[in-house]
Amino acid sequence: MDAATAPHRIPSEMPQYGEAKRVFEMLQNMLEQLLIHRPEEPIPFMIDYLQQNNDNVPKIVVLGPPAAGKTTIAMWLCKHLKSNLLTIENLIAKDFSSQAADARRHYQKMEGWILDGIPATREQALMIQALGIIPRHVIALSAPDTVLIERNLGKRIDPRTGEIYHTTFDWPPESEIQNRLVVPAGISEPETAQKLLEHHRNIVRILPLYPKILKVISADQPCVDVFYQALTYVQTNHQSNAPFTPRVLLCGPVGSGKSLQAALLAQKYSLVNVCCGQLLKEAVADKSKYGEVIQPFFDKEIAVPDGIVKKLLCQRLSQLDCVRRGWVLHGFPRDVDQARMLTGRDHTPNRVFFLNVPLDSIIERLTLRRTDPVTGERYHLMYKPPPTMEIQARLLQNPKDSEEQVKLRIDQFYRKCAELEQFYEQAITVNGDQDPYTVFEYLESGIINPLPTKVP
């Protein structure tokens, strides 16, 4: 392909489809399995792999010391995710290679698998990897040894169901279950201390094998809290290695901080900062053909028609810097019709954020803004007050920053906000009423990580 024609203008639907269907990850996983198994006939192997369609099923490892609750968490995850629970006890084997083979058969099923306490050593972990059993999420539970020893002494097991109970924290209300509970072997204090020592020796050699998929969760809290932290983690997608050009849309009422966040994102990720209002002003200042059309609307202080805005905006988003580096857009669209207009011109954003800020905070942000007519310096009576009384005396307020005008503009935004949120189904709502750099971290996380999967 002729390098002189680069960068090639790839329609936005192509990368959007690739990200939505996780095509890059599917091909990456298939290649990984191909290299692990090295079949004589690679084409039938790949066809069989694709037909299994198990890239998105649970592949989870739950590790932890004795009495950390890993079996309980693994069982709850298994029930919630409708997956297969694999433990040392339920894998019929004499040695670990047979266990791995059994796990591998489960691995190929549609339901996926959850390994409880496996691998227990680094050697087991390496053997699992060599057999092509690759977890997607690894959860490591941790708690102080004193807590674990005390917790282990109260452990009881229902021999009929395998459910684990505790004399203090989780005692069954039914007398029938209480009567059949038994004390498991090996829970005395010396035995537990020995097992903890062995766990600490092994876990420090296991965890470095899973640096990018590991989540350490404190087990020294209510079991339900541990479970929901684990469930939240296993339902997230890891950061992808797929090529990605951000096309970010920031929505929110006036005063929600869109301009500041757009500037921060543009600075860190070299995105093109596209402010719709600024674009219109620049067109007028440059006296371009669009500027001549826009000028009368500015003179009369009325809204510029959507058709003109669309043409000017699409022209900007089609320029080479936006195509190559990506962009962050704010100030447009303001309603569903404008959003459809933007999508129809092959400028669909792949990340949409709604900045949510309470009315009182917006009023405080905007109505206290002032400008020095002599120097042009901008001040805020609360956050950036003028240094002298002389400067404060000559400060002016923009008529648009009056409380009445601010409330009117906010009301106009929220009248159309609900429809806009429905149009952008995968939009992420962010609390904009906090430190700007905290808001930026949330936006950054939403950009660099895959879109969250909606779990029924």
Side-chain angles (χ1 to χ4, degrees):
M1 202 173 282
D2 185 4
T5 63
H8 308 289
R9 296 180 181 271
I10 301 174
S12 62
E13 291 85 355
M14 290 186 181
Q16 285 172 359
Y17 176 85
E19 184 181 15
K21 301 299 182 181
R22 299 182 65 80
V23 173
F24 184 91
E25 291 79 5
M26 178 180 65
L27 295 175
Q28 188 179 40
N29 293 337
M30 184 171 64
L31 179 60
E32 182 181 81
Q33 293 299 311
L34 190 65
L35 296 177
I36 289 172
H37 297 288
R38 299 183 296 278
E40 290 293 332
E41 298 293 338
I43 301 301
F45 176 87
M46 290 189 286
I47 293 174
D48 181 60
Y49 175 83
L50 293 173
Q51 287 176 339
Q52 291 174 20
N53 191 28
N54 66 353
D55 277 343
N56 296 318
V57 299
K59 299 170 187 175
I60 303 167
V61 167
V62 181
L63 303 174
K70 59 182 179 294
T71 298
T72 300
I73 298 303
M75 290 175 65
W76 288 1
L77 287 173
C78 180
K79 291 177 181 178
H80 189 89
L81 301 174
K82 297 180 175 61
S83 187
N84 297 293
L85 178 62
L86 303 179
T87 66
I88 292 292
E89 290 76 13
N90 68 15
L91 291 174
I92 304 172
K94 293 183 179 179
D95 55 37
F96 189 77
S97 60
S98 300
Q99 296 170 8
D102 199 352
R104 184 174 169 185
R105 287 194 292 272
H106 282 275
Y107 174 82
Q108 293 174 342
K109 292 183 179 180
M110 290 290 293
E111 297 84 4
W113 45 263
I114 299 173
L115 296 181
D116 172 18
I118 305 172
T121 65
R122 182 180 177 86
E123 290 71 27
Q124 291 180 1
L126 294 174
M127 188 176 295
I128 285 176
Q129 288 184 352
L131 290 167
I133 301 175
I134 311 296
R136 183 174 289 115
H137 299 90
V138 175
I139 297 170
L141 304 180
S142 68
D145 286 358
T146 53
V147 172
L148 297 172
I149 291 174
E150 180 183 357
R151 184 185 294 179
N152 211 29
L153 292 173
K155 185 186 293 185
R156 299 294 183 270
I157 293 181
D158 185 343
R160 184 177 300 175
T161 64
E163 291 281 350
I164 299 175
Y165 297 93
H166 195 277
T167 55
T168 303
F169 307 116
D170 185 23
W171 192 245
E174 300 86 353
S175 58
E176 180 185 356
I177 298 178
Q178 294 176 10
N179 293 333
R180 68 172 183 251
L181 294 183
V182 296
V183 179
I187 66 169
S188 67
E189 185 171 340
E191 290 173 307
T192 303
Q194 181 61 36
K195 291 178 181 178
L196 287 171
L197 180 61
E198 184 178 350
H199 168 79
H200 293 321
R201 286 173 178 168
N202 286 317
I203 198 68
V204 294
R205 301 177 64 233
I206 296 173
L207 298 187
L209 298 175
Y210 308 109
K212 295 184 180 180
I213 59 174
L214 174 66
K215 172 75 171 179
V216 179
I217 299 177
S218 171
D220 190 15
Q221 55 181 321
C223 198
V224 173
D225 294 343
V226 177
F227 168 69
Y228 279 112
Q229 289 179 44
L231 181 63
T232 300
Y233 174 62
V234 300
Q235 289 178 340
T236 58
N237 294 319
H238 296 299
Q239 184 174 342
S240 173
N241 294 320
F244 180 66
T245 303
R247 295 189 299 276
V248 183
L249 173 61
L250 299 181
C251 299
V254 58
S256 59
K258 300 187 298 295
S259 298
L260 174 58
Q261 297 302 326
L264 293 174
L265 289 171
Q267 181 181 22
K268 180 162 185 178
Y269 293 101
S270 299
L271 305 179
V272 179
N273 187 352
V274 182
C275 172
C276 188
Q278 187 64 29
L279 207 59
L280 297 173
K281 293 177 184 177
E282 290 175 358
V284 172
D286 294 341
K287 297 182 180 180
S288 64
K289 63 175 183 178
Y290 287 117
E292 295 175 357
V293 177
I294 296 169
Q295 183 67 61
F297 297 98
F298 273 25
D299 295 339
K300 298 176 183 179
E301 296 185 352
I302 58 177
V304 180
D306 288 351
I308 300 174
V309 177
K310 178 192 71 174
K311 291 179 181 178
L312 184 63
L313 185 60
C314 289
Q315 181 188 63
R316 181 66 187 93
L317 296 180
S318 298
Q319 291 180 9
L320 195 60
D321 56 349
C322 286
V323 174
R324 295 182 62 179
R325 293 157 46 194
W327 42 262
V328 51
L329 171 65
H330 52 109
F332 189 95
R334 299 178 184 272
D335 55 43
V336 175
D337 292 335
Q338 292 182 348
R340 290 197 184 100
M341 202 179 294
L342 187 65
T343 302
R345 292 301 299 269
D346 196 29
H347 298 301
T348 305
N350 49 29
R351 291 294 185 275
V352 181
F353 298 95
F354 282 86
L355 301 181
N356 190 13
V357 181
L359 175 62
D360 293 344
S361 297
I362 294 178
I363 290 176
E364 180 183 278
R365 290 180 181 184
L366 299 187
T367 59
L368 300 181
R369 294 194 301 194
R370 299 292 187 272
T371 303
D372 185 344
V374 176
T375 64
E377 185 74 21
R378 294 182 178 182
Y379 296 97
H380 192 279
L381 299 183
M382 180 176 293
Y383 303 124
K384 187 187 174 183
T388 65
M389 294 300 294
E390 178 185 358
I391 295 177
Q392 183 169 348
R394 66 177 186 241
L395 295 182
L396 299 177
Q397 182 186 41
N398 190 318
K400 291 184 178 180
D401 288 343
S402 67
E403 185 170 337
E404 181 181 353
Q405 285 295 315
V406 169
K407 287 183 176 179
L408 178 62
R409 293 159 70 189
I410 293 174
D411 181 62
Q412 290 174 344
F413 171 80
Y414 280 113
R415 282 181 186 177
K416 302 170 182 178
C417 178
E419 291 183 350
L420 206 55
E421 288 179 337
Q422 288 180 356
F423 182 81
Y424 292 116
E425 293 180 343
Q426 290 191 299
I428 300 172
T429 301
V430 177
N431 176 18
D433 190 22
Q434 48 189 332
D435 180 79
Y437 291 97
T438 302
V439 177
F440 174 73
E441 288 177 0
Y442 280 107
L443 297 179
E444 185 178 30
S445 175
I447 292 172
I448 65 176
N449 292 313
L451 290 170
T453 303
K454 293 187 177 181
V455 179

